[in-house]
Amino acid sequence: DAKTTQPNSMESNEEEPVHLPCNHSTISGTDYIHWYRQLPSQGPEYVIHGLTSNVNNRMASLAIAEDRKSSTLILHRATLRDAAVYYCILQSNFGNEKLTFGTGTRLTIIP
Amino acid sequence: DSGVTQTPKHLITATGQRVTLRCSPRSGDLSVYWYQQSLDQGLQFLIQYYNGEERAKGNILERFSAQQFPDLHSELNLSSLELGDSALYFCASSPVYRITNTGELFFGEGSRLTVL
């Protein structure tokens, strides 16, 4: 599986936008970019995913670089509930079905 | 609430024992995945079943086994337990075999296993 690199931790102020970066320089043309998050004492939760184009949903936006070697998860207005570990995951369209979780970014929201 | 139910939520047992963890997927979901999360290893994929058949295998120990039943619930059996098996075990489900396009796995809240 292609690897991703994320900062170990980030802090952000409540009610401000948060940009969570992910580098995936070895991404292949068939790899989808998935983001999950894990709130304290809970199972991982799907956030968003995309292939080439930027994506928006009710939770977040995903900005994918033109060369696809990096992506950014954008939380438009962070709340205390967004404090979690955020995982950026690559999955090949032709690979097996597992999602391989890395160490993720621990996001702390400051009130 | 993801719709995925895992039991028990907590389990304490001794080394050498055997336990069974149960997972009920979301209604209609045919795929079930098992993950192990320990402090030093992070989230590790163990195994996937689709409609009763094993489809993908990860770093699952030979002491561990799983199955998916005709009603689509799944069980993860852990035997000859060791201290290092203490972890959170998550089950996830998906309606499809290949999640690449849909992107979404639905995770349960996990079963916390403590081996003393």
Side-chain angles (χ1 to χ4, degrees):
Chain A
D1 295 323
K3 290 201 171 188
T4 62
T5 304
Q6 299 177 253
N8 288 333
S9 62
M10 288 183 62
E11 288 186 348
S12 181
N13 293 321
E14 193 178 11
E15 299 186 3
E16 290 186 358
V18 182
H19 291 238
L20 294 160
C22 181
N23 288 320
H24 28 78
S25 58
T26 59
I27 191 170
S28 75
T30 58
D31 285 344
Y32 279 76
I33 303 161
H34 298 261
W35 284 82
Y36 277 72
R37 71 181 185 180
Q38 188 171 16
L39 303 172
S41 303
Q42 295 191 24
E45 174 187 37
Y46 167 82
V47 178
I48 202 166
H49 81 290
L51 182 61
T52 56
S53 303
N54 295 343
V55 184
N56 300 296
N57 66 20
R58 62 175 178 80
M59 289 181 69
S61 295
L62 175 60
I64 302 173
E66 196 169 335
D67 64 5
R68 299 209 327 126
K69 293 185 185 299
S70 65
S71 60
T72 302
L73 179 70
I74 303 165
L75 307 179
H76 295 286
R77 191 167 166 271
T79 68
L80 295 178
R81 196 193 172 277
D82 292 319
V85 178
Y86 286 79
Y87 298 97
C88 169
I89 305 163
L90 300 184
Q91 191 195 32
S92 171
N93 196 26
F94 299 104
N96 58 32
E97 288 308 297
K98 64 178 182 177
L99 285 179
T100 302
F101 288 79
T103 53
T105 297
R106 182 173 298 278
L107 176 64
T108 300
I109 304 298
I110 303 167
Chain B
D1 182 5
S2 67
V4 177
T5 303
Q6 291 188 245
T7 57
K9 290 194 181 339
H10 301 277
L11 188 56
I12 301 174
T13 188
T15 55
Q17 296 297 305
R18 172 190 171 95
V19 299
T20 297
L21 309 180
R22 181 188 170 102
C23 170
S24 294
R26 291 188 326 150
S27 177
D29 282 0
L30 299 176
S31 273
V32 169
Y33 302 71
W34 285 98
Y35 281 80
Q36 177 193 55
Q37 185 172 37
S38 57
L39 283 176
D40 58 345
Q41 292 290 325
L43 269 160
Q44 299 285 314
F45 168 75
L46 296 178
I47 199 163
Q48 179 214 359
Y49 281 83
Y50 177 78
N51 204 20
E53 292 190 13
E54 181 185 308
R55 289 297 188 178
K57 214 165 185 176
N59 300 322
I60 187 167
L61 300 172
E62 285 192 9
R63 299 184 286 108
F64 296 0
S65 64
Q67 54 183 327
Q68 186 180 27
F69 294 86
D71 67 353
L72 301 178
H73 91 272
S74 178
E75 292 181 358
L76 179 66
N77 300 298
L78 315 174
S79 61
S80 303
L81 285 168
E82 302 175 359
L83 296 177
D85 297 327
S86 295
L88 265 169
Y89 291 85
F90 288 104
C91 170
S93 76
S94 160
V96 297
Y97 167 47
R98 299 189 67 82
I99 66 166
T100 307
N101 290 337
T102 66
E104 196 162 0
L105 278 184
F106 297 88
F107 282 81
E109 295 190 353
S111 293
R112 181 175 294 280
L113 172 66
T114 302
V115 182
L116 301 175

